Amino acid sequence: MHPTTDLQPVVWIHGLTGSVNFWEAAMYPEIKNQRSWHSISLPLHHPSTYSGKPNLAAIDENILAEIIQHAVDDLVPEGKFHLVGYSVGGFAAMNYAAKFPDRVASIISVGGFMTGRAKGIEGALQFFAKGTFFRKGIFHASYWMMQRHRAFFKLATLAYAHSWRSLLDYPQLDPTIRNIFPDVKQHEIAGQRAWFRYLLNMNLLDEICQIQHPVLVIAGDRDPVIPFRHQQRYANLLPNSQLVVLPDVGHVAFGEADEEFRTAVLNWLAAFDA
């Protein structure tokens, strides 16, 4: 926290299966040492709490925006702030801005989307999450296995990359996994299944014109989870956006092309500080 700084705070939202501790290990010194920054948890992700049995009724666009609004009011009680979201966090950031626009200075969507039908490993989990008892069992077993050991979770993470060798070379990969894996182990599988099912219903295209804020869309052109064409399309539809395309990069842009990603984020924040 740097309460005397004139720079606007940054609020970060992690992606699916991550946790509120996702950003800590890799936070850039220019942000950590020069401005306030905060991390918000997606609902149904430990250590966030939920009273009741997780199901589809626990998540919708309005509930998601209201949860973020309550967290923001506590963390940044006044003034404007930048909002950064990764994957589902990117959707959550743009969804929040569409419904609570007044205090958002700008948005950075990293591998984000307007509709949540995914491909690759996430698409497979969506398929099993929505199915019958047999498919539900496969989802449960797959997620349970990923929670058993950091090595299994790391292998799943690599499946989100196109350039997995670059991701393995990313110096903050293992520290980030060490930070979040204790939370991942405690994610309730029923809650994660609800999220994967809800992804299929996500659609913000009908509100895209309400997002008048500056939006930086960072997309890998070889994203195996959220098709690049979709990210390119919604960037073109947004009234005030800039698209940064990272060649030969998948869904983990900050790890596969860390220097290019860092430059894009820091330059954007500097440009849109009021």
Side-chain angles (χ1 to χ4, degrees):
M1 295 290 295
H2 297 276
T4 61
T5 183
D6 292 329
L7 302 178
Q8 291 170 332
V10 185
V11 176
W12 304 73
I13 309 174
H14 64 81
L16 200 60
T17 77
S19 90
V20 70
N21 295 306
F22 183 82
W23 306 101
E24 179 76 26
M27 188 53 58
Y28 306 123
E30 293 88 344
I31 294 175
K32 183 182 292 186
N33 299 330
Q34 297 176 16
R35 66 171 81 219
S36 299
W37 70 275
H38 311 273
S39 180
I40 291 178
S41 178
L42 291 172
L44 304 178
H45 286 69
H46 186 83
S48 67
T49 58
Y50 175 73
S51 177
K53 184 178 180 180
N55 53 49
L56 277 179
I59 313 170
D60 68 28
E61 292 172 14
N62 290 317
I63 291 173
L64 184 57
E66 288 168 6
I67 288 172
I68 293 173
Q69 170 72 356
H70 288 308
V72 165
D73 282 348
D74 287 340
L75 296 170
V76 190
E78 59 183 11
K80 288 185 176 290
F81 58 89
H82 302 284
L83 195 52
V84 184
Y86 170 48
S87 194
V88 174
F91 175 92
M94 293 183 286
N95 177 60
Y96 171 82
K99 295 172 175 60
F100 297 96
D102 293 345
R103 296 183 55 210
V104 178
S106 78
I107 304 162
I108 301 176
S109 174
V110 185
F113 52 84
M114 288 283 169
T115 59
R117 188 171 294 274
K119 299 176 70 175
I121 185 174
E122 202 158 287
L125 287 169
Q126 285 180 335
F127 173 79
F128 291 120
K130 193 179 180 183
T132 59
F133 180 81
F134 177 72
R135 279 158 59 177
K136 177 181 175 182
I138 293 176
F139 179 92
H140 191 285
S142 301
Y143 204 92
W144 179 88
M145 181 63 69
M146 187 183 68
Q147 291 177 307
R148 292 312 93 199
H149 196 279
R150 280 207 314 256
F152 297 149
F153 182 70
K154 184 174 181 177
L155 283 173
T157 301
L158 293 175
Y160 282 75
H162 171 69
S163 179
W164 59 267
R165 289 185 177 88
S166 296
L167 184 54
L168 282 174
D169 289 338
Y170 176 51
Q172 301 305 327
L173 175 63
D174 287 333
T176 298
I177 289 176
R178 282 196 298 270
N179 278 1
I180 68 172
F181 189 68
D183 297 327
V184 172
K185 288 175 66 175
Q186 297 188 66
H187 290 345
E188 189 171 350
I189 295 178
Q192 295 299 300
R193 180 170 173 260
W195 259 110
F196 276 94
R197 292 173 66 196
Y198 171 58
L199 283 171
L200 296 168
N201 301 329
M202 285 179 165
N203 191 340
L204 200 56
L205 288 172
D206 58 338
E207 297 183 67
I208 197 165
C209 290
Q210 298 179 38
I211 306 172
Q212 298 290 327
H213 316 76
V215 182
L216 176 65
V217 177
I218 302 179
D221 68 356
R222 303 296 296 275
D223 193 322
V225 176
I226 305 300
F228 172 67
R229 288 192 303 275
H230 172 74
Q231 298 182 66
Q232 190 177 44
R233 179 188 173 217
Y234 86 74
N236 289 334
L237 290 173
L238 284 164
N240 185 11
S241 72
Q242 177 181 328
L243 174 65
V244 171
V245 180
L246 299 176
D248 296 319
V249 167
H251 196 61
V252 196
F254 46 83
E256 297 175 71
D258 53 328
E259 284 303 316
E260 295 88 341
F261 180 86
R262 174 181 176 277
T263 298
V265 167
L266 295 180
N267 286 348
W268 178 268
L269 293 177
F272 288 97
D273 272 325

Coordinates of all heavy atoms in Angstrom, one line a residue, residues 44 50 52-60 190-191 193-195 197-198:
L44 N -16.4 -18.7 -5.0 CA -16.3 -20.1 -5.0 C -14.8 -20.6 -5.2 O -14.6 -21.7 -5.7 CB -17.2 -20.8 -6.0 CG -18.7 -20.5 -5.9 CD1 -19.5 -21.2 -7.0 CD2 -19.2 -20.9 -4.5
Y50 N -18.6 -19.1 0.8 CA -20.0 -19.1 0.3 C -20.9 -19.9 1.2 O -20.5 -21.0 1.6 CB -19.9 -19.8 -1.1 CG -21.3 -20.0 -1.7 CD1 -22.0 -18.9 -2.2 CD2 -21.9 -21.2 -1.8 CE1 -23.3 -19.0 -2.7 CE2 -23.2 -21.4 -2.3 CZ -23.9 -20.3 -2.8 OH -25.1 -20.4 -3.4
G52 N -24.0 -22.1 1.7 CA -24.9 -22.9 1.0 C -24.2 -23.8 0.0 O -23.0 -23.9 0.0
K53 N -25.0 -24.6 -0.7 CA -24.4 -25.5 -1.6 C -24.1 -24.9 -3.0 O -25.0 -24.3 -3.6 CB -25.4 -26.7 -1.8 CG -24.9 -27.8 -2.7 CD -25.9 -28.9 -2.8 CE -25.4 -30.1 -3.7 NZ -26.4 -31.2 -3.8
P54 N -22.9 -25.0 -3.5 CA -22.6 -24.3 -4.8 C -23.4 -24.9 -5.9 O -23.5 -26.2 -6.0 CB -21.1 -24.6 -4.9 CG -20.6 -24.9 -3.6 CD -21.7 -25.6 -2.8
N55 N -24.0 -24.1 -6.7 CA -24.7 -24.5 -7.9 C -24.8 -23.4 -8.9 O -24.3 -22.3 -8.6 CB -26.1 -25.0 -7.5 CG -26.9 -24.0 -6.7 OD1 -26.9 -22.8 -7.1 ND2 -27.4 -24.4 -5.6
L56 N -25.4 -23.6 -10.0 CA -25.5 -22.6 -11.0 C -26.2 -21.3 -10.5 O -25.9 -20.2 -11.0 CB -26.3 -23.1 -12.2 CG -25.4 -23.9 -13.2 CD1 -26.3 -24.4 -14.4 CD2 -24.3 -23.1 -13.8
A57 N -27.1 -21.4 -9.5 CA -27.8 -20.2 -9.0 C -26.8 -19.3 -8.2 O -27.2 -18.2 -8.0 CB -29.0 -20.7 -8.1
A58 N -25.7 -19.9 -7.9 CA -24.7 -19.1 -7.1 C -23.9 -18.1 -7.9 O -23.2 -17.2 -7.4 CB -23.7 -20.0 -6.3
I59 N -24.0 -18.2 -9.3 CA -23.2 -17.4 -10.2 C -24.1 -16.9 -11.3 O -24.7 -17.7 -12.0 CB -22.0 -18.2 -10.8 CG1 -21.3 -19.0 -9.7 CG2 -21.1 -17.3 -11.5 CD1 -20.3 -20.0 -10.3
D60 N -24.1 -15.6 -11.4 CA -24.6 -15.0 -12.7 C -23.9 -13.7 -12.8 O -23.2 -13.2 -12.0 CB -26.1 -14.9 -12.7 CG -26.7 -13.9 -11.8 OD1 -26.1 -12.9 -11.4 OD2 -27.9 -14.1 -11.3
A190 N -17.4 -29.1 -6.2 CA -18.8 -28.7 -6.7 C -18.9 -27.2 -7.1 O -19.5 -26.9 -8.1 CB -19.8 -29.0 -5.5
G191 N -18.1 -26.4 -6.4 CA -18.1 -25.0 -6.8 C -17.4 -24.8 -8.1 O -17.8 -24.0 -9.0
R193 N -17.1 -27.0 -10.5 CA -18.0 -27.6 -11.5 C -19.1 -26.6 -11.9 O -19.4 -26.4 -13.0 CB -18.6 -28.9 -11.0 CG -19.6 -29.5 -12.1 CD -20.0 -30.9 -11.7 NE -21.0 -31.4 -12.6 CZ -22.3 -31.4 -12.3 NH1 -22.7 -31.0 -11.1 NH2 -23.1 -31.9 -13.2
A194 N -19.6 -25.9 -10.9 CA -20.6 -24.8 -11.1 C -20.0 -23.8 -12.0 O -20.7 -23.3 -13.0 CB -21.1 -24.2 -9.8
W195 N -18.8 -23.4 -11.8 CA -18.1 -22.4 -12.6 C -18.0 -22.9 -14.1 O -18.3 -22.1 -15.0 CB -16.8 -22.0 -12.1 CG -16.7 -20.8 -11.3 CD1 -16.6 -20.6 -9.9 CD2 -16.9 -19.4 -11.8 NE1 -16.6 -19.3 -9.6 CE2 -16.8 -18.5 -10.7 CE3 -17.1 -18.9 -13.1 CZ2 -16.9 -17.2 -10.9 CZ3 -17.2 -17.5 -13.2 CH2 -17.1 -16.7 -12.1
R197 N -19.7 -25.0 -15.6 CA -21.0 -25.1 -16.3 C -21.5 -23.7 -16.6 O -22.0 -23.4 -17.7 CB -22.0 -25.8 -15.4 CG -21.7 -27.3 -15.2 CD -22.6 -27.8 -14.1 NE -24.0 -27.8 -14.5 CZ -25.1 -28.0 -13.7 NH1 -24.9 -28.1 -12.4 NH2 -26.3 -28.0 -14.2
Y198 N -21.2 -22.7 -15.7 CA -21.7 -21.4 -15.9 C -21.0 -20.7 -17.1 O -21.5 -19.9 -17.8 CB -21.5 -20.5 -14.7 CG -21.8 -19.0 -14.9 CD1 -23.0 -18.6 -15.4 CD2 -20.8 -18.1 -14.6 CE1 -23.2 -17.2 -15.6 CE2 -21.0 -16.8 -14.8 CZ -22.2 -16.3 -15.3 OH -22.4 -15.0 -15.5

